[in-house]
PDB file of all heavy atoms in Angstrom:
ATOM      1  N   ALA A1241      15.435  -0.283   7.751  1.00 97.00           N
ATOM      2  CA  ALA A1241      15.160  -1.732   7.837  1.00 97.00           C
ATOM      3  C   ALA A1241      14.830  -2.129   9.267  1.00 97.00           C
ATOM      4  O   ALA A1241      14.332  -3.231   9.533  1.00 97.00           O
ATOM      5  CB  ALA A1241      16.297  -2.547   7.259  1.00 97.00           C
ATOM      6  N   LYS A1242      15.229  -1.291  10.237  1.00 97.00           N
ATOM      7  CA  LYS A1242      15.019  -1.610  11.635  1.00 97.00           C
ATOM      8  C   LYS A1242      13.675  -1.014  12.166  1.00 97.00           C
ATOM      9  O   LYS A1242      13.330  -1.157  13.325  1.00 97.00           O
ATOM     10  CB  LYS A1242      16.143  -1.084  12.457  1.00 97.00           C
ATOM     11  CG  LYS A1242      17.407  -1.854  12.190  1.00 97.00           C
ATOM     12  CD  LYS A1242      18.589  -1.250  12.975  1.00 97.00           C
ATOM     13  CE  LYS A1242      19.922  -2.003  12.650  1.00 97.00           C
ATOM     14  NZ  LYS A1242      21.064  -1.211  12.979  1.00 97.00           N
ATOM     15  N   LEU A1243      12.957  -0.345  11.290  1.00 96.00           N
ATOM     16  CA  LEU A1243      11.749   0.328  11.673  1.00 96.00           C
ATOM     17  C   LEU A1243      10.497  -0.381  11.314  1.00 96.00           C
ATOM     18  O   LEU A1243      10.421  -0.936  10.164  1.00 96.00           O
ATOM     19  CB  LEU A1243      11.857   1.716  10.954  1.00 96.00           C
ATOM     20  CG  LEU A1243      10.977   2.884  11.482  1.00 96.00           C
ATOM     21  CD1 LEU A1243      11.394   3.251  12.880  1.00 96.00           C
ATOM     22  CD2 LEU A1243      11.209   4.061  10.523  1.00 96.00           C
ATOM     23  N   ASP A1244       9.578  -0.526  12.203  1.00 96.00           N
ATOM     24  CA  ASP A1244       8.321  -1.188  11.867  1.00 96.00           C
ATOM     25  C   ASP A1244       7.147  -0.635  12.774  1.00 96.00           C
ATOM     26  O   ASP A1244       7.373   0.288  13.510  1.00 96.00           O
ATOM     27  CB  ASP A1244       8.424  -2.746  11.972  1.00 96.00           C
ATOM     28  CG  ASP A1244       8.866  -3.162  13.330  1.00 96.00           C
ATOM     29  OD1 ASP A1244       8.291  -2.704  14.342  1.00 96.00           O
ATOM     30  OD2 ASP A1244       9.831  -3.958  13.428  1.00 96.00           O
ATOM     31  N   ASP A1245       5.997  -1.231  12.631  1.00 96.00           N
ATOM     32  CA  ASP A1245       4.797  -0.782  13.376  1.00 96.00           C
ATOM     33  C   ASP A1245       5.048  -0.695  14.846  1.00 96.00           C
ATOM     34  O   ASP A1245       4.524   0.145  15.546  1.00 96.00           O
ATOM     35  CB  ASP A1245       3.588  -1.726  13.130  1.00 96.00           C
ATOM     36  CG  ASP A1245       3.054  -1.685  11.735  1.00 96.00           C
ATOM     37  OD1 ASP A1245       3.668  -1.063  10.879  1.00 96.00           O
ATOM     38  OD2 ASP A1245       2.008  -2.301  11.482  1.00 96.00           O
ATOM     39  N   ILE A1246       5.851  -1.631  15.399  1.00 97.00           N
ATOM     40  CA  ILE A1246       6.053  -1.706  16.841  1.00 97.00           C
ATOM     41  C   ILE A1246       6.724  -0.426  17.380  1.00 97.00           C
ATOM     42  O   ILE A1246       6.368   0.080  18.426  1.00 97.00           O
ATOM     43  CB  ILE A1246       6.891  -2.977  17.234  1.00 97.00           C
ATOM     44  CG1 ILE A1246       6.127  -4.188  16.789  1.00 97.00           C
ATOM     45  CG2 ILE A1246       7.267  -3.021  18.676  1.00 97.00           C
ATOM     46  CD1 ILE A1246       6.947  -5.479  16.719  1.00 97.00           C
ATOM     47  N   ASP A1247       7.676   0.151  16.618  1.00 97.00           N
ATOM     48  CA  ASP A1247       8.319   1.376  17.065  1.00 97.00           C
ATOM     49  C   ASP A1247       7.264   2.497  17.224  1.00 97.00           C
ATOM     50  O   ASP A1247       7.318   3.290  18.151  1.00 97.00           O
ATOM     51  CB  ASP A1247       9.321   1.837  15.959  1.00 97.00           C
ATOM     52  CG  ASP A1247      10.459   0.791  15.734  1.00 97.00           C
ATOM     53  OD1 ASP A1247      10.194  -0.149  15.056  1.00 97.00           O
ATOM     54  OD2 ASP A1247      11.534   1.005  16.288  1.00 97.00           O
ATOM     55  N   ILE A1248       6.365   2.567  16.191  1.00 96.00           N
ATOM     56  CA  ILE A1248       5.386   3.631  16.280  1.00 96.00           C
ATOM     57  C   ILE A1248       4.410   3.441  17.412  1.00 96.00           C
ATOM     58  O   ILE A1248       4.098   4.412  18.173  1.00 96.00           O
ATOM     59  CB  ILE A1248       4.611   3.704  14.916  1.00 96.00           C
ATOM     60  CG1 ILE A1248       5.626   3.846  13.743  1.00 96.00           C
ATOM     61  CG2 ILE A1248       3.621   4.824  14.940  1.00 96.00           C
ATOM     62  CD1 ILE A1248       6.395   5.103  13.657  1.00 96.00           C
ATOM     63  N   LEU A1249       3.873   2.200  17.545  1.00 97.00           N
ATOM     64  CA  LEU A1249       2.874   1.947  18.616  1.00 97.00           C
ATOM     65  C   LEU A1249       3.498   2.208  20.017  1.00 97.00           C
ATOM     66  O   LEU A1249       2.835   2.747  20.854  1.00 97.00           O
ATOM     67  CB  LEU A1249       2.390   0.548  18.529  1.00 97.00           C
ATOM     68  CG  LEU A1249       1.308   0.290  17.397  1.00 97.00           C
ATOM     69  CD1 LEU A1249       0.986  -1.187  17.304  1.00 97.00           C
ATOM     70  CD2 LEU A1249       0.048   1.087  17.634  1.00 97.00           C
ATOM     71  N   ALA A1250       4.744   1.735  20.152  1.00 97.00           N
ATOM     72  CA  ALA A1250       5.389   1.994  21.515  1.00 97.00           C
ATOM     73  C   ALA A1250       5.542   3.481  21.804  1.00 97.00           C
ATOM     74  O   ALA A1250       5.287   3.903  22.900  1.00 97.00           O
ATOM     75  CB  ALA A1250       6.781   1.323  21.515  1.00 97.00           C
ATOM     76  N   ALA A1251       5.875   4.215  20.762  1.00 97.00           N
ATOM     77  CA  ALA A1251       6.062   5.691  20.909  1.00 97.00           C
ATOM     78  C   ALA A1251       4.656   6.289  21.273  1.00 97.00           C
ATOM     79  O   ALA A1251       4.545   7.145  22.235  1.00 97.00           O
ATOM     80  CB  ALA A1251       6.543   6.290  19.649  1.00 97.00           C
ATOM     81  N   LEU A1252       3.604   5.890  20.603  1.00 97.00           N
ATOM     82  CA  LEU A1252       2.264   6.444  20.853  1.00 97.00           C
ATOM     83  C   LEU A1252       1.812   6.112  22.313  1.00 97.00           C
ATOM     84  O   LEU A1252       1.259   7.003  22.990  1.00 97.00           O
ATOM     85  CB  LEU A1252       1.228   5.837  19.846  1.00 97.00           C
ATOM     86  CG  LEU A1252       0.839   6.634  18.639  1.00 97.00           C
ATOM     87  CD1 LEU A1252       2.090   7.017  17.846  1.00 97.00           C
ATOM     88  CD2 LEU A1252      -0.165   5.944  17.807  1.00 97.00           C
ATOM     89  N   LYS A1253       2.112   4.923  22.749  1.00 98.00           N
ATOM     90  CA  LYS A1253       1.744   4.514  24.094  1.00 98.00           C
ATOM     91  C   LYS A1253       2.472   5.415  25.150  1.00 98.00           C
ATOM     92  O   LYS A1253       1.910   5.784  26.167  1.00 98.00           O
ATOM     93  CB  LYS A1253       2.038   3.029  24.343  1.00 98.00           C
ATOM     94  CG  LYS A1253       1.061   2.140  23.715  1.00 98.00           C
ATOM     95  CD  LYS A1253       1.438   0.647  23.852  1.00 98.00           C
ATOM     96  CE  LYS A1253       1.279   0.221  25.244  1.00 98.00           C
ATOM     97  NZ  LYS A1253       1.664  -1.223  25.379  1.00 98.00           N
ATOM     98  N   ASP A1254       3.719   5.737  24.855  1.00 98.00           N
ATOM     99  CA  ASP A1254       4.514   6.516  25.753  1.00 98.00           C
ATOM    100  C   ASP A1254       4.100   7.984  25.629  1.00 98.00           C
ATOM    101  O   ASP A1254       3.926   8.691  26.630  1.00 98.00           O
ATOM    102  CB  ASP A1254       5.946   6.378  25.421  1.00 98.00           C
ATOM    103  CG  ASP A1254       6.863   6.966  26.449  1.00 98.00           C
ATOM    104  OD1 ASP A1254       6.740   6.553  27.615  1.00 98.00           O
ATOM    105  OD2 ASP A1254       7.740   7.795  26.138  1.00 98.00           O
ATOM    106  N   TRP A1255       3.968   8.520  24.417  1.00 98.00           N
ATOM    107  CA  TRP A1255       3.746   9.931  24.215  1.00 98.00           C
ATOM    108  C   TRP A1255       2.325  10.417  24.638  1.00 98.00           C
ATOM    109  O   TRP A1255       2.102  11.623  24.835  1.00 98.00           O
ATOM    110  CB  TRP A1255       3.929  10.322  22.748  1.00 98.00           C
ATOM    111  CG  TRP A1255       5.301  10.098  22.274  1.00 98.00           C
ATOM    112  CD1 TRP A1255       6.482   9.916  23.018  1.00 98.00           C
ATOM    113  CD2 TRP A1255       5.777  10.056  20.916  1.00 98.00           C
ATOM    114  NE1 TRP A1255       7.590   9.712  22.234  1.00 98.00           N
ATOM    115  CE2 TRP A1255       7.195   9.857  20.888  1.00 98.00           C
ATOM    116  CE3 TRP A1255       5.129  10.230  19.665  1.00 98.00           C
ATOM    117  CZ2 TRP A1255       7.954   9.756  19.725  1.00 98.00           C
ATOM    118  CZ3 TRP A1255       5.867  10.113  18.526  1.00 98.00           C
ATOM    119  CH2 TRP A1255       7.256   9.921  18.529  1.00 98.00           C
ATOM    120  N   GLN A1256       1.357   9.493  24.913  1.00 97.00           N
ATOM    121  CA  GLN A1256       0.086   9.877  25.337  1.00 97.00           C
ATOM    122  C   GLN A1256       0.152  10.564  26.752  1.00 97.00           C
ATOM    123  O   GLN A1256      -0.793  11.224  27.175  1.00 97.00           O
ATOM    124  CB  GLN A1256      -0.920   8.737  25.315  1.00 97.00           C
ATOM    125  CG  GLN A1256      -0.610   7.674  26.349  1.00 97.00           C
ATOM    126  CD  GLN A1256      -1.545   6.487  26.289  1.00 97.00           C
ATOM    127  OE1 GLN A1256      -2.790   6.673  26.133  1.00 97.00           O
ATOM    128  NE2 GLN A1256      -1.135   5.305  26.396  1.00 97.00           N
ATOM    129  N   TYR A1257       1.298  10.349  27.394  1.00 97.00           N
ATOM    130  CA  TYR A1257       1.474  10.982  28.721  1.00 97.00           C
ATOM    131  C   TYR A1257       2.388  12.200  28.658  1.00 97.00           C
ATOM    132  O   TYR A1257       2.862  12.662  29.702  1.00 97.00           O
ATOM    133  CB  TYR A1257       1.991   9.955  29.730  1.00 97.00           C
ATOM    134  CG  TYR A1257       1.168   8.718  29.784  1.00 97.00           C
ATOM    135  CD1 TYR A1257       1.593   7.487  29.355  1.00 97.00           C
ATOM    136  CD2 TYR A1257      -0.148   8.758  30.300  1.00 97.00           C
ATOM    137  CE1 TYR A1257       0.795   6.342  29.366  1.00 97.00           C
ATOM    138  CE2 TYR A1257      -0.978   7.596  30.353  1.00 97.00           C
ATOM    139  CZ  TYR A1257      -0.464   6.458  29.884  1.00 97.00           C
ATOM    140  OH  TYR A1257      -1.279   5.307  29.923  1.00 97.00           O
ATOM    141  N   SER A1258       2.697  12.657  27.487  1.00 97.00           N
ATOM    142  CA  SER A1258       3.577  13.807  27.285  1.00 97.00           C
ATOM    143  C   SER A1258       2.985  15.056  27.921  1.00 97.00           C
ATOM    144  O   SER A1258       1.739  15.175  28.042  1.00 97.00           O
ATOM    145  CB  SER A1258       3.802  14.040  25.795  1.00 97.00           C
ATOM    146  OG  SER A1258       4.232  15.318  25.523  1.00 97.00           O
ATOM    147  N   ASN A1259       3.859  15.976  28.300  1.00 96.00           N
ATOM    148  CA  ASN A1259       3.386  17.281  28.818  1.00 96.00           C
ATOM    149  C   ASN A1259       2.766  18.173  27.745  1.00 96.00           C
ATOM    150  O   ASN A1259       2.143  19.145  28.064  1.00 96.00           O
ATOM    151  CB  ASN A1259       4.508  18.027  29.553  1.00 96.00           C
ATOM    152  CG  ASN A1259       4.978  17.263  30.806  1.00 96.00           C
ATOM    153  OD1 ASN A1259       4.128  16.605  31.430  1.00 96.00           O
ATOM    154  ND2 ASN A1259       6.260  17.278  31.067  1.00 96.00           N
ATOM    155  N   ASP A1260       3.129  17.831  26.518  1.00 97.00           N
ATOM    156  CA  ASP A1260       2.582  18.664  25.390  1.00 97.00           C
ATOM    157  C   ASP A1260       1.163  18.265  25.138  1.00 97.00           C
ATOM    158  O   ASP A1260       0.852  17.142  24.800  1.00 97.00           O
ATOM    159  CB  ASP A1260       3.466  18.468  24.128  1.00 97.00           C
ATOM    160  CG  ASP A1260       2.984  19.270  22.995  1.00 97.00           C
ATOM    161  OD1 ASP A1260       3.114  20.492  23.022  1.00 97.00           O
ATOM    162  OD2 ASP A1260       2.390  18.725  22.045  1.00 97.00           O
ATOM    163  N   PHE A1261       0.253  19.274  25.231  1.00 97.00           N
ATOM    164  CA  PHE A1261      -1.197  18.981  25.117  1.00 97.00           C
ATOM    165  C   PHE A1261      -1.517  18.374  23.724  1.00 97.00           C
ATOM    166  O   PHE A1261      -2.292  17.403  23.641  1.00 97.00           O
ATOM    167  CB  PHE A1261      -1.954  20.318  25.290  1.00 97.00           C
ATOM    168  CG  PHE A1261      -3.424  20.200  24.917  1.00 97.00           C
ATOM    169  CD1 PHE A1261      -4.305  19.572  25.780  1.00 97.00           C
ATOM    170  CD2 PHE A1261      -3.955  20.790  23.758  1.00 97.00           C
ATOM    171  CE1 PHE A1261      -5.665  19.454  25.463  1.00 97.00           C
ATOM    172  CE2 PHE A1261      -5.307  20.694  23.437  1.00 97.00           C
ATOM    173  CZ  PHE A1261      -6.127  20.040  24.262  1.00 97.00           C
ATOM    174  N   VAL A1262      -0.923  18.901  22.658  1.00 97.00           N
ATOM    175  CA  VAL A1262      -1.258  18.463  21.356  1.00 97.00           C
ATOM    176  C   VAL A1262      -0.824  16.992  21.155  1.00 97.00           C
ATOM    177  O   VAL A1262      -1.603  16.148  20.765  1.00 97.00           O
ATOM    178  CB  VAL A1262      -0.562  19.371  20.229  1.00 97.00           C
ATOM    179  CG1 VAL A1262      -0.773  18.772  18.872  1.00 97.00           C
ATOM    180  CG2 VAL A1262      -1.105  20.745  20.294  1.00 97.00           C
ATOM    181  N   LEU A1263       0.475  16.718  21.455  1.00 98.00           N
ATOM    182  CA  LEU A1263       0.967  15.371  21.256  1.00 98.00           C
ATOM    183  C   LEU A1263       0.256  14.318  22.135  1.00 98.00           C
ATOM    184  O   LEU A1263      -0.179  13.266  21.621  1.00 98.00           O
ATOM    185  CB  LEU A1263       2.512  15.339  21.593  1.00 98.00           C
ATOM    186  CG  LEU A1263       3.154  13.993  21.323  1.00 98.00           C
ATOM    187  CD1 LEU A1263       3.165  13.738  19.799  1.00 98.00           C
ATOM    188  CD2 LEU A1263       4.584  13.963  21.817  1.00 98.00           C
ATOM    189  N   SER A1264       0.027  14.648  23.398  1.00 98.00           N
ATOM    190  CA  SER A1264      -0.591  13.674  24.231  1.00 98.00           C
ATOM    191  C   SER A1264      -2.072  13.416  23.809  1.00 98.00           C
ATOM    192  O   SER A1264      -2.526  12.286  23.782  1.00 98.00           O
ATOM    193  CB  SER A1264      -0.601  14.100  25.719  1.00 98.00           C
ATOM    194  OG  SER A1264      -1.303  15.361  25.865  1.00 98.00           O
ATOM    195  N   SER A1265      -2.756  14.495  23.380  1.00 97.00           N
ATOM    196  CA  SER A1265      -4.161  14.331  22.921  1.00 97.00           C
ATOM    197  C   SER A1265      -4.246  13.484  21.676  1.00 97.00           C
ATOM    198  O   SER A1265      -5.099  12.563  21.587  1.00 97.00           O
ATOM    199  CB  SER A1265      -4.814  15.709  22.594  1.00 97.00           C
ATOM    200  OG  SER A1265      -4.767  16.531  23.791  1.00 97.00           O
TER     201      SER A1265
END
Side-chain angles (χ1 to χ4, degrees):
K1242 292 176 181 160
L1243 201 58
D1244 55 50
D1245 291 8
I1246 297 163
D1247 299 80
I1248 305 295
L1249 283 174
L1252 262 56
K1253 284 175 71 179
D1254 192 53
W1255 296 346
Q1256 67 181 319
Y1257 306 112
S1258 160
N1259 294 326
D1260 180 71
F1261 171 73
V1262 174
L1263 185 66
S1264 61
S1265 302

